Amino acid sequence: EKPIARGLDDGRAIARAWRESGCVCAVGYQWRSREILAAARAALAGAAPALIVAGSYGPTEPARGDLAAIGSDTWFTDPRRSGGILFELASHDVDLMLALAGAAVSVQATAAAGGLALRGRESGGLHDVVSVSVRFRGGGVGAVHAGWTAEGSPPLYAIDVLAADATLALELDPVLRLRGRAAGRTVEAADTVSPRLRSQQRFFAAVERDDPSAVACTPADALATLATLLAAETAIV
């Protein structure tokens, strides 16, 4: 499950064990498994994105009842254990940005509480709004804006990608599609399989082929995402 760990030492130990064992291991950043991500990479044709803007607006896992649990001793409501919405919601977008733009070299972040899901509630140290800015090794800049909304509010998950010769819009949920233009041509693609199912299909296919590199998100990928998230968490504090 994502994130790979709550701290770098554990994350590095997991990644090291994976490398030394040669086993097939996947981490649950399921958006990496999507066909529209592969289509976006193909449209970029190796060009480094100059700007990526991602929005993740929605509730946390409804089955956990996070809002009702605030003030009690549960995993999510303790940000020291869960990382709050930075790790629960924004981490998917951070991971997807790294998949498109490569390694991060610097991170800035800010957060607030009381405007969305936590309005009128004690926050318990949690945030309901997080904004993360990333500068990539390739020179581009990325921004993730995450908002924790109350259950029943329509969610919106999307990411826009701009390069010198490409403008792409990925709708991540509930519609799964890519639209835009690149190198003077129209780009369109859609997914028909849910990302969670697709990531599991890729995992089982990788096991059948005994190919650790065939999964959607390897422990090495997830470790880079973890390092970026921890840098953002430090910036917020």
Side-chain angles (χ1 to χ4, degrees):
E1 185 52 280
K2 62 83 186 170
I4 189 172
R6 188 61 179 89
L8 274 181
D9 287 345
D10 284 346
R12 287 167 177 157
I14 292 169
R16 183 170 59 250
W18 165 69
R19 290 191 184 95
E20 293 174 352
S21 70
C23 289
V24 174
C25 181
V27 181
Y29 282 113
Q30 66 265 15
W31 284 348
R32 282 195 185 234
S33 69
R34 302 190 55 175
E35 294 176 0
I36 59 172
L37 175 60
R41 284 171 164 162
L44 289 170
L51 177 64
I52 301 178
V53 179
S56 181
Y57 316 123
T60 57
E61 187 65 43
R64 285 201 310 259
D66 293 328
L67 284 175
I70 291 176
S72 60
D73 184 22
T74 65
W75 168 79
F76 181 76
T77 57
D78 181 356
R80 295 170 300 176
R81 287 188 278 171
S82 69
I85 65 166
L86 174 63
F87 282 72
E88 177 73 354
L89 297 179
S91 68
H92 282 287
D93 300 275
V94 170
D95 182 73
L96 199 53
M97 288 200 312
L98 298 181
L100 285 164
V105 294
S106 65
V107 180
Q108 296 176 315
T110 189
L116 294 176
L118 296 173
R119 184 178 182 182
R121 299 174 181 266
E122 293 293 330
S123 70
L126 294 169
H127 301 113
D128 56 10
V129 175
V130 170
S131 182
V132 180
S133 297
V134 178
R135 186 164 185 86
F136 302 104
R137 187 172 296 161
V141 172
V144 171
H145 308 295
W148 178 15
T149 61
E151 293 178 22
S153 299
L156 176 63
Y157 307 102
I159 183 167
D160 296 328
V161 183
L162 279 72
D165 199 21
T167 301
L168 306 173
L170 292 83
E171 297 177 63
L172 301 171
D173 193 30
V175 179
L176 317 176
R177 65 187 175 191
L178 165 68
R179 295 183 296 178
R181 291 186 63 80
R185 62 182 180 84
T186 298
V187 176
E188 292 185 354
D191 281 326
T192 58
V193 178
S194 78
R196 292 187 181 185
L197 178 57
R198 178 70 74 191
S199 63
Q200 292 168 9
Q201 290 173 336
R202 287 188 57 173
F203 172 73
F204 289 124
V207 171
E208 289 175 349
R209 297 198 303 270
D210 193 24
D211 182 0
S213 67
V215 300
C217 183
T218 68
D221 296 326
L223 182 61
T225 299
L226 174 64
T228 306
L229 294 170
L230 290 171
E233 185 177 45
T234 299
I236 291 170
V237 173

